[in-house]
Amino acid sequence: MDLELTGKTAIVTGGSRGIGKAVARELAREGVAVAIVARGPEAVQTTASELESETGGRILAISVDTGSDESVRNMVEEAASQLGRIDILVNCAATPGGTAPPPKLAQITDEDFFSDTNVKVMGYLRCIREVAPHMIRAGGGRIINISGLAARQTGTMIGSMRNVSVVAMTKNVADELGPHGISAIVVHPSMTFTERGPELVARRAAADGVSEEEARKRLYQGNLLGRVMEARDIANVVTFLASPKAAAVNGDVVVAGGGVPRAIYY
């Protein structure tokens, strides 16, 4: 299938690793010129060089702190200047999770909440706010916000609150920008195996006193398919949603986790 993405441009936040890096790779393979943006200048430059060599596409590296209005404003201006326009925004920058058990109610501090949501919720909003005028002038665009299944289950209070907020924000954005030809969509990945996977597996194995094989199953295979979801699995879904072929999908949530047992959503 031709996704009609050749010649398009994109910004991918959190693009130096994990799902963001995988998304940038798949977009570039489809002929999209991609600006990958992340906080660490060395990491983002290294990733850009790697993906450019791997895909033969045009990959820009821009350092940004999505927790800062000024940093995001400067990033979008630079990306638009170098790319010429912005057709696609994929918001994937977030505070890494999974390295420790989520805090219980009595352990949650104001700083825990505000630092996390400033990056994932307000950070997403900052990027959308700065990109929107460019898309409006161009007559359309696609915005994909990576959230997570904590929006639909308990166990990580801050994670649930921030991910639900991303969904509510996305729907509001879709309603407001839809008349300008701009779509906004949420993707909920499940626990996804990325570059950090081996470290997380080792930590879980040590904490639970089990083998790394068993720890891997507990972390990553709680879906109906019974297999690990990898970053490329999520990236393939995002790449389709970023394309004109997915025009019918807007203002809604797409779950990319291999199937959640028992729950019914309608």
Side-chain angles (χ1 to χ4, degrees), residues 231-259:
R232 186 176 181 183
D233 295 315
I234 313 307
N236 287 334
V237 173
V238 173
T239 301
F240 170 72
L241 292 173
S243 77
K245 298 292 189 188
V249 184
N250 187 24
D252 219 328
V253 175
V254 174
V255 177

Side-chain angles (χ1 to χ4, degrees), residues 110-160:
D110 290 6
E111 176 61 22
D112 291 334
F113 176 80
F114 288 114
S115 63
D116 204 336
T117 54
N118 184 43
V119 173
K120 188 157 186 177
V121 182
M122 277 306 301
Y124 283 19
L125 181 60
R126 289 183 184 100
C127 292
I128 294 169
R129 185 176 62 203
E130 297 304 322
V131 162
H134 295 275
M135 292 184 171
I136 290 171
R137 285 195 295 270
R142 306 285 289 177
I143 299 168
I144 297 104
N145 294 322
I146 308 300
S147 188
L149 283 171
R152 294 187 173 182
Q153 59 193 28
T154 62
T156 167
M157 192 174 298
I158 294 176
S160 294

Side-chain angles (χ1 to χ4, degrees), residues 205-233:
D208 292 358
V210 299
S211 68
E212 290 197 1
E213 181 180 355
E214 176 60 27
R216 181 182 169 101
K217 289 179 181 178
R218 293 182 183 185
L219 276 169
Y220 296 105
Q221 293 180 226
N223 57 62
L224 295 176
L225 295 179
R227 77 169 181 84
V228 175
M229 292 292 111
E230 299 191 358
R232 186 176 181 183
D233 295 315

Side-chain angles (χ1 to χ4, degrees), residues 19-163:
I19 292 173
K21 179 179 178 179
V23 168
R25 177 186 289 113
E26 297 307 317
L27 288 173
R29 283 175 171 164
E30 293 292 330
V32 179
V34 183
I36 59 169
V37 305
R39 181 174 295 185
E42 292 184 7
V44 75
Q45 184 59 62
T46 297
T47 298
S49 298
E50 176 190 337
L51 295 184
E52 204 164 55
S53 175
E54 182 180 333
T55 66
R58 185 184 180 198
I59 311 289
L60 306 179
I62 304 175
S63 177
V64 67
D65 175 7
T66 59
S68 160
D69 285 358
E70 182 180 6
S71 184
V72 169
R73 189 176 305 114
N74 292 338
M75 176 273 291
V76 171
E77 288 177 359
E78 182 177 349
S81 174
Q82 293 201 47
L83 295 174
R85 66 181 190 281
I86 301 169
D87 299 309
I88 300 159
L89 169 66
V90 180
N91 273 316
C92 197
T95 303
T99 55
K104 300 295 185 182
L105 177 62
Q107 300 169 319
I108 294 173
T109 66
D110 290 6
E111 176 61 22
D112 291 334
F113 176 80
F114 288 114
S115 63
D116 204 336
T117 54
N118 184 43
V119 173
K120 188 157 186 177
V121 182
M122 277 306 301
Y124 283 19
L125 181 60
R126 289 183 184 100
C127 292
I128 294 169
R129 185 176 62 203
E130 297 304 322
V131 162
H134 295 275
M135 292 184 171
I136 290 171
R137 285 195 295 270
R142 306 285 289 177
I143 299 168
I144 297 104
N145 294 322
I146 308 300
S147 188
L149 283 171
R152 294 187 173 182
Q153 59 193 28
T154 62
T156 167
M157 192 174 298
I158 294 176
S160 294
M161 294 166 73
R162 74 178 188 181
N163 289 357

